[in-house]
């Protein structure tokens, strides 16, 4: 099939890149599958997940991935005593009002995509194939194979230059040939795995699937595939769509952000952030909307150790590259951008009530497609903000000066030196798990002599449930616990490196954050004490005011202001806990039409249903 960006002649190169980088795995995703030439090539090596937002592409993928070889059509032959291709090609059809292609894409409909005689056969065959499937004469894999064969055969007699953006004003010789249904070509293998095929927006789909290798061949020029192949899409769906204009395009259609100069960078940002495959291979070229350097820079933000590789095609082996030129005389150079996705969550060394490290990936799933600045407005242990890849900057804000000072120390200290200071402190005060006397002595030292962030950090390690609790004189009064300094804390200190390099630290109330100081594509994240729970951090007994209905309503009002400013917010909260329902929150969400996403149930002794509320 003549198809924009078809990678059939590049499958050998994709395999070469996989071998070069020793990429292993069992699940291979062809996520912009088009004519599924890549998935078809690899279907005897991996379980294939194929996806394309065009319905006709889904049918082609099913034809190739649900069949190891061309179908035998046993049931059909038993009934009709001949192959369906022979049967359909010998059929005579008379057009009716229901023959949609004939009535809209031939001179009958004032368009010259197809001759009238060929369109009649295409309509007739399309309806017959549907009837065969309904009657059980063919199974689903055979149905897809026949339809895919029809699409490919239509392309051979279409009066176009290759796509359906426009038709020729004269009959090109190819289009005058009599239409013949010919069999789809596919890679014949001994057996196939349990392949899965989707017809979804890829950026939405990647939030729901996972695997080992993802091959991405997105549109990277301004050509919209819904416009380029609208006729084939209509043959596939045969849904009698509303069409418009001289070319008869479908009125209701999804346009790709990847073919939009403004939105493409954001679409790739979102895709790289959300994709849950270990190895990412992106087919790209120097004639794309975004430059290869831009793509590499973006990919590096989401790559393990920020490493991205660009593998260029050997042009002598891919001759068509040498012939392909655009109007600017720039020769086409194809490449594959490869990187291994960074899935690590750099857990904060500070164990703090309400930390979100275990649900961070669920929260990140609902980030908007572009994050320029991320404000972690109630930062706490900084597990969320530190693991966000913002394009420009991440702001850590924490109202509690003691927590703020610990995070500042962790971020700004040289890790090895900090570890040495911690270990010297543990040794000096002979701190051990459950050793009450030594712990009390060290706590007194902190309260009366040295209230340094280092000492408070060490103190909370040995405190009951790692709790940092103060009396009204701001003296730490948490009893000894069942914890101690260990290798895992050391590893967390060494690994606590924010994913975004530009970090700004603030120690103020969220109410003092001037939202107008931040660009419109800023995302504000709030993780307040949960109003309907009885967690220690909102009981008002740790030297700071508690979190009551007044504080909750102030926060909700602040979030409304963020929304009214045109900026985005994310709010972690609980709608139900231990038989209680957060009525204020529920009614606020309904009143303003905000979105609610389930994060799941957390907590063991007192389970709570956590949600994420967003204004987008």
């Amino acid at each position: 099939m003549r198809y924009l960006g078809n990678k059939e002649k590049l499958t050998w190169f994709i395999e070469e890149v996989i071998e070069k980088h020793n990429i292993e795995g069992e699940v291979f995703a062809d996520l912009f599958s088009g004519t599924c030439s890549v998935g078809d090539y690899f279907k005897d090596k991996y379980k294939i997940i194929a996806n394309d937002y065009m319905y006709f592409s889904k049918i082609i993928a099913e034809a190739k991935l649900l069949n190891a070889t061309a179908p035998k059509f046993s049931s059909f032959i038993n009934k009709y005593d001949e192959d369906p291709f022979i049967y359909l090609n010998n059929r005579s059809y008379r057009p009716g009002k229901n023959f949609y292609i004939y009535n809209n894409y031939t001179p009958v409909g004032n368009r010259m995509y197809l001759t009238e005689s060929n369109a009649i056969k295409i309509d007739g065959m399309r309806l017959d194939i549907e009837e065969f499937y309904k009657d059980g004469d063919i199974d689903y894999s055979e149905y897809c194979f026949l339809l895919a064969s029809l699409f490919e055969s239509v392309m051979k007699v279409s009066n176009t230059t290759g796509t359906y953006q426009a038709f020729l004003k004269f009959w090109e010789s190819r289009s005058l040939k009599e239409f013949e249904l010919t069999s789809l070509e596919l890679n014949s293998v001994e057996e196939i795995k349990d392949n899965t095929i989707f017809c979804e927006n890829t950026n939405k789909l990647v939030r729901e699937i996972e695997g080992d290798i993802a091959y991405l061949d997105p549109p990277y020029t301004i050509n919209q595939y819904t416009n380029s192949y609208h006729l084939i899409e209509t043959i596939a769906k045969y849904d009698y769509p509303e069409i418009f204009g001289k070319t008869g395009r479908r009125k209701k259609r999804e346009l790709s952000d990847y073919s939009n100069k403004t939105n493409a960078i954001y679409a790739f940002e979102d895709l790289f952030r959300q994709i849950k495959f270990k190895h990412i291979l992106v087919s790209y070229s120097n004639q794309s909307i975004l430059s290869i350097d831009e793509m590499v820079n973006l990919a590096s933000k989401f790559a393990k150790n920020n490493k991205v590789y660009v593998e260029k095609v050997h042009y002598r082996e891919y001759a068509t590259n040498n012939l392909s030129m655009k109007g600017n005389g720039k020769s086409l150079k194809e490449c594959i951008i490869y990187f291994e996705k960074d899935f690590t969550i750099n857990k904060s060394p500070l164990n703090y009530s309400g930390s979100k490290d275990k649900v961070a990936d669920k929260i990140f799933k609902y980030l908007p497609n572009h994050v320029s600045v991320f404000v972690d407005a109630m930062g706490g242990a900084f597990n969320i903000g530190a693991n966000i890849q913002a394009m420009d900057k991440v702001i850590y804000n924490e109202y509690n000066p003691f927590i703020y000072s610990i995070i500042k120390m962790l971020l700004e200290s040289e890790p090895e030196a900090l570890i040495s200071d911690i270990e010297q402190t543990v040794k000096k005060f002979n701190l051990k798990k459950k050793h009450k006397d030594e712990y009390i002595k060290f706590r007194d030292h902190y309260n009366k002599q040295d209230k340094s962030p280092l000492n408070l950090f060490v103190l909370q390690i040995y405190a009951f449930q790692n709790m940092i609790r103060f009396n009204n004189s701001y003296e730490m009064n948490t009893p000894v616990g069942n914890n101690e300094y260990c290798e895992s804390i050391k590893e967390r200190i060494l690994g606590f490196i924010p994913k975004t390099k530009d970090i700004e630290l603030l120690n103020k109330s969220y109410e003092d954050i001037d939202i107008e100081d931040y660009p419109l594509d800023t995302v504000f994240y709030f993780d307040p004490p949960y109003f309907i729970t009885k967690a220690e951090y909102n009981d008002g007994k740790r030297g700071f005011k508690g979190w009551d209905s007044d504080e909750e309503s102030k926060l909700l009002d602040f979030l409304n202001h963020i929304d009214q400013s045109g900026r985005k917010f994310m709010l972690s909260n609980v709608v139900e806990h231990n038989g209680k329902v957060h009525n204020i929150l529920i009614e606020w969400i309904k009143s303003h039409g905000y979105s609610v996403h389930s994060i799941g149930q957390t907590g063991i002794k007192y389970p709570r249903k956590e949600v994420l509320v967003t204004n987008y």
Side-chain angles (χ1 to χ4, degrees), residues 439-461:
Y439 173 81
I440 296 297
K441 182 179 178 180
F442 179 52
R443 191 178 69 183
D444 288 342
H445 172 77
Y446 170 80
N447 287 329
K448 302 184 185 308
Q449 297 183 48
D450 185 3
K451 288 192 173 184
S452 68
L454 173 69
N455 284 342
L456 181 58
F457 177 71
V458 175
L459 196 57
Q460 65 86 32
I461 292 175

Side-chain angles (χ1 to χ4, degrees), residues 14 30 55 73 87 143 245 252 254 256 272 289-291 305 350 360 371 429 452 458-459 466 470 512 579-580:
I14 298 167
D30 187 1
Y55 180 72
F73 296 105
Y87 178 88
Y143 167 79
K252 291 183 179 180
E254 180 181 354
S256 173
F272 291 163
I289 287 178
L290 303 175
S291 71
N305 300 320
L350 175 63
V371 182
F429 289 90
S452 68
V458 175
L459 196 57
N466 302 119
F470 299 94
D512 295 326
K580 296 180 182 178

Side-chain angles (χ1 to χ4, degrees), residues 212-261:
D212 305 305
I213 306 167
Y215 171 71
L216 311 176
D217 185 23
Y220 37 75
T221 68
I222 60 173
N223 293 308
Q224 288 285 352
Y225 282 66
T226 51
N227 294 336
S228 297
Y229 298 98
H230 66 90
L231 178 54
I232 302 298
E233 185 77 347
T234 294
I235 294 173
K237 291 185 173 181
Y238 218 80
D239 53 351
Y240 299 90
E242 184 180 358
I243 59 178
F244 72 99
K246 291 182 178 180
T247 59
R249 295 177 185 176
R250 300 168 64 89
K251 209 163 195 180
K252 291 183 179 180
R253 65 201 191 281
E254 180 181 354
L255 298 179
S256 173
D257 285 339
Y258 292 96
S259 296
N260 182 293
K261 290 184 178 180

Side-chain angles (χ1 to χ4, degrees), residues 63 67 70-71 73 85 141-149 183-184 186:
N67 291 292
F73 296 105
F85 289 91
S141 64
E142 293 170 333
Y143 167 79
C144 293
F145 189 86
L146 283 177
L147 283 184
S149 298
S183 181
L184 175 75
L186 81 170

Side-chain angles (χ1 to χ4, degrees), residues 534-577:
K534 292 185 177 180
E536 292 83 356
Y537 55 74
N538 64 351
D539 60 10
K541 298 177 182 177
R542 296 197 291 165
F544 299 92
K545 64 183 179 180
W547 192 264
D548 55 20
S549 59
D550 187 53
E551 294 300 322
E552 186 83 344
S553 63
K554 286 181 182 177
L555 173 59
L556 299 183
D557 185 52
F558 189 79
L559 294 175
N560 284 339
H561 286 303
I562 292 176
D563 181 59
Q564 291 160 11
S565 77
R567 293 165 178 81
K568 297 179 177 66
F569 72 72
M570 308 173 77
L571 168 68
S572 284
N573 217 305
V574 169
V575 294
E576 184 179 335
H577 172 67

Side-chain angles (χ1 to χ4, degrees), residues 320-335:
T320 54
N321 274 341
N322 297 325
L323 304 175
S324 178
M325 304 283 286
K326 287 230 174 171
N328 57 12
K330 191 176 184 181
S331 62
L332 172 65
K333 295 182 180 179
E334 295 269 1
C335 70

Side-chain angles (χ1 to χ4, degrees), residues 59-117:
I59 295 295
I60 294 173
E62 288 176 319
K64 293 180 177 180
L65 299 179
L66 299 181
N67 291 292
T69 61
K72 299 290 191 276
F73 296 105
S74 301
S75 295
F76 186 94
I77 293 172
N78 285 337
K79 180 176 180 179
Y80 293 95
D81 201 30
E82 63 182 342
D83 180 275
F85 289 91
I86 297 174
Y87 178 88
L88 289 168
N89 282 322
N90 288 334
R91 285 267 282 164
S92 295
Y93 297 97
R94 296 183 65 180
K97 292 183 179 180
N98 62 321
F99 274 38
Y100 192 85
I101 305 303
Y102 168 77
N103 286 301
N104 290 281
Y105 296 104
T106 72
V108 173
N110 296 314
R111 298 183 180 96
M112 294 176 60
Y113 282 110
L114 296 159
T115 64
E116 294 172 22
S117 59

